[in-house]
Amino acid sequence: MFFDKRTTGALAGADLKLDDSFGPAPQFGMDIALSCPWFANADVRWFDIDSDATVNGVHIGTVEIDPYSIGVSVGRRF
């Protein structure tokens, strides 16, 4: 779902609509033991997001928004 869409440049002030999208989001990561019970985690995710775009009621095509997300965290096992 897309929220707070803004237009700039040649599309400034235009009514932009992006359809909701569903797709795969593979994740690769690992846990690294620090000292029992603490661990560190690192992961990378890729989101396959394709959305139909409409500007001022006219369908202009499909927008491919395929971001990456990188995460690092520290955790404790109970």
Side-chain angles (χ1 to χ4, degrees), residues 31-41 73-78:
D31 289 343
I32 303 164
L34 297 176
S35 64
C36 196
W38 295 95
F39 67 94
N41 175 276
S73 61
V74 175
R76 184 176 193 272
R77 299 189 200 295
F78 293 96

Side-chain angles (χ1 to χ4, degrees), residues 6-7 9-11 13 20 22 27 41-43 45 66-67 72-73:
R6 296 181 198 161
T7 55
L11 295 176
D20 294 340
F22 294 92
Q27 173 182 347
N41 175 276
D43 65 46
R45 299 174 190 177
D66 299 333
V72 177
S73 61

